[in-house]
Amino acid sequence: MAVETINFGFLLVPLQLLDLAGPMDIVGNISHDTVEKYGGKELAKTAPQINFFHIASTLDPVPLTGGFLAKPTTTLADCPQLDYLLIGGPDPAYAANLPQDMRDFIVERSKSLKALFTTCTGGLVAAATGVLDERSATVNHTLSEAGREIGPKVRWNWTLNWVVDGKFWTAAGAVAGMDMLAHWVEVSYGKDLLNFSTMLLEYQPRDVNGKPVSYMNGLGDIVEV
Ligand SMILES: *[C@@H]1O[C@H](CO)[C@@H](O)[C@H](O)[C@H]1NC(C)=O
Ligand SMILES: *[C@@H]1O[C@H](CO)[C@@H](O)[C@H](O)[C@H]1NC(C)=O
Ligand SMILES: *[C@@H]1O[C@H](CO)[C@@H](O)[C@H](O)[C@H]1NC(C)=O
Ligand SMILES: *[C@@H]1O[C@H](CO)[C@@H](O)[C@H](O)[C@H]1NC(C)=O
């Protein structure tokens, strides 16, 4: 069976490092080569080959938290077709004044993506573009006011750790974003790869209500919103 190849993009807004790093390592650890190396050929059979793209307006380094400089690997204009895009969380003021090229990119790419993920205030970035209008979504629960201001037409949910509405997956905080990506790994590729990816990171995910779960019980079904 041919190995599935997926293109996974990270939008380099000036975000919180963990919003990017946590999900990236969870997803990266189900990459075919990694699974084959650490988990063996049998487990690797279902693991996709993953190409990562780190995308910004220009190729200039983007300052993330802690003074960490992230080097984009492609630009908004040159980025190839993507299957998945993740937007981490910048300062809410950045989302409120989202640069036009970022806005256009998110709106345009949302049409062809298999899923758009946001973690923490990345939900405000997506909301600012209108792609979450009339949809259920969440963002860090302490930011309900900013949510209503930036995305007045979004059906905000302040209960769940993450919300799935069609192709739009929005998580509350940075670690909720890790939980959400772990859940995506499970529903897309199964419990064995969920276990593999989370165990490699010594990471114990929580379910959609914030309750810790054991690796092999998994995180459950997608909750209807
Ligand atoms: C997966 O996890 C292992 C062990 O923690 C690490 O060495 C490797 O770099 C990770 N792979 C990816 C693609 O993130
Ligand atoms: C929201 O952000 C605050 C402050 O950074 C943090 O303490 C809290 O855990 C976050 N909550 C959620 C649900 O994301
Ligand atoms: C989970 O993964 C770890 C290492 O990746 C492995 O040692 C363990 O046997 C796995 N557990 C199950 C129940 O598959
Ligand atoms: C969020 O969604 C859950 C699950 O559908 C629901 O029980 C809860 O009432 C919703 N909360 C809000 C504030 O909409």
Side-chain angles (χ1 to χ4, degrees):
M1 198 176 74
V3 174
E4 178 195 12
T5 298
I6 61 179
N7 286 351
F8 205 113
F10 295 90
L11 196 62
L12 291 181
V13 294
L15 49 79
Q16 176 151 310
L17 184 53
L18 187 60
D19 289 352
L20 174 86
M24 189 171 70
D25 277 350
I26 289 165
V27 173
N29 264 322
I30 62 155
S31 193
H32 189 268
D33 294 346
T34 303
V35 178
E36 194 167 77
K37 185 168 165 194
Y38 297 102
K41 278 200 159 36
E42 193 54 36
L43 187 61
K45 275 185 182 159
T46 51
Q49 193 58 49
I50 305 175
N51 301 319
F52 283 138
F53 298 90
H54 300 283
I55 315 150
S57 299
T58 69
L59 292 178
D60 293 341
V62 178
L64 309 186
T65 47
F68 185 89
L69 290 178
K71 180 89 180 76
T73 57
T74 187
T75 62
L76 298 170
D78 293 339
C79 183
Q81 175 271 334
L82 295 173
D83 299 298
Y84 301 97
L85 178 66
L86 184 138
I87 310 174
D91 189 310
Y94 179 92
N97 300 287
L98 191 65
Q100 189 65 42
D101 60 347
M102 287 281 180
R103 185 184 302 265
D104 293 345
F105 182 83
I106 294 165
V107 169
E108 198 45 43
R109 296 303 179 110
S110 289
K111 295 175 190 161
S112 54
L113 288 170
K114 291 183 180 138
L116 176 77
F117 301 103
T118 70
T119 63
C120 198
T121 52
L124 297 178
V125 173
T129 71
V131 297
L132 297 179
D133 284 0
E134 319 301 339
R135 290 185 179 278
S136 291
T138 196
V139 66
N140 180 309
H141 295 167
T142 61
L143 292 166
S144 54
E145 203 171 312
R148 277 188 287 265
E149 248 165 57
I150 295 173
K153 293 187 185 151
V154 179
R155 289 199 305 264
W156 294 107
N157 184 299
W158 307 117
T159 313
L160 301 173
N161 240 355
W162 70 83
V163 170
V164 184
D165 187 341
K167 65 166 79 167
F168 297 92
W169 293 57
T170 55
V175 178
M178 294 174 63
D179 299 334
M180 179 177 77
L181 268 295
H183 190 215
W184 174 78
V185 165
E186 180 187 0
V187 297
S188 308
Y189 296 102
K191 284 188 177 138
D192 288 337
L193 283 178
L194 167 73
N195 168 61
F196 177 77
S197 168
T198 52
M199 288 280 272
L200 273 185
L201 298 171
E202 300 178 24
Y203 156 58
Q204 176 79 67
R206 301 164 305 172
D207 70 13
V208 75
N209 297 307
K211 191 169 143 281
V213 294
S214 86
Y215 306 108
M216 288 316 284
N217 286 341
L219 288 86
D221 296 328
I222 290 177
V223 170
E224 297 291 336
V225 285

